[in-house]
Amino acid sequence: MNCLEERILKDGVVKEGNILKVDSFLNHQLDVELFDEMGAEWAKRFEGVEINKILTIEASGIGIACVAARHFNVPVVFAKKTQSVNLDGEMYTAEVESFTHKNKNNVIVSKKFLNENDKVLIIDDFLANGCALQGLISIINSAGASVAGIGIAIEKGFQSGGQIIRNLGYRLESLAIVDGMDPATGEISLRK
Ligand code: G4P
């Protein structure tokens, strides 16, 4: 069991609606030491893969991506979320629907920071239905760049995102895969 899995079992809280609350270490209070170990683990798993940039999405992905980037020695770009439709031509954009928040955002990345020479590792905190990831992949494709791999902290294995992304042929490395959660008992089952 890796350190993230151990931490999920220790401090993760199961909420109604298939939500795993990990705000004491992952997406509100941030355990930077844990992020560092997660970064080291992704660096090990993606060893030998050419990566020159990390792409993530605001807000929770940013901290994790920045600490991970220290293990890859590459810059981090984050996609910004905006409700605005008034975007100029200097941006790549994709529409992302949030299952959790039940809203739609345009996510944008400036054309200055992504181009056809980039080999991009996508990093994010959660993978649920994969909408955010598909938005990021679409932005990378628009830039003519390539997806070198995808690193996710927590994949919710009972939602469709992981399967969709693996079926599309991407290399997806999730550090913890939650296969089930019981809000009544608080029990969390992790994939072995
Ligand atoms: P998807 O992108 O994989 O389809 O997932 P979804 O629409 O369900 O996710 C929407 C937001 O909710 C994402 O954050 C995602 O990280 C988060 N999320 C999904 N499932 C869980 C969960 O079980 N627990 C927690 N804590 N978060 C979950 P976001 O809207 O981008 O918010 P943020 O990055 O600003 O925090």
Side-chain angles (χ1 to χ4, degrees), residues 45-101:
R45 295 190 190 192
F46 287 106
E47 199 177 351
V49 178
E50 201 184 339
I51 290 163
N52 72 325
K53 198 161 279 182
I54 289 178
L55 179 66
T56 188
I57 180 165
E58 69 175 344
S60 304
I62 298 174
I64 299 168
C66 287
V67 180
R70 300 284 291 163
H71 294 269
F72 290 88
N73 295 311
V74 298
V76 173
V77 175
F78 69 90
K80 298 188 178 205
K81 289 177 191 164
T82 168
Q83 301 285 349
S84 165
V85 287
N86 185 21
L87 303 166
D88 68 31
E90 300 308 305
M91 306 282 180
Y92 300 114
T93 73
E95 192 177 72
V96 171
E97 191 172 348
S98 169
F99 161 85
T100 310
H101 299 296

Side-chain angles (χ1 to χ4, degrees), residues 19-20 59-60 81 98-101 125-126 128-132 156:
I19 294 293
L20 175 64
S60 304
K81 289 177 191 164
S98 169
F99 161 85
T100 310
H101 299 296
D125 58 341
F126 269 94
N129 292 316
C131 300
K156 291 158 87 184

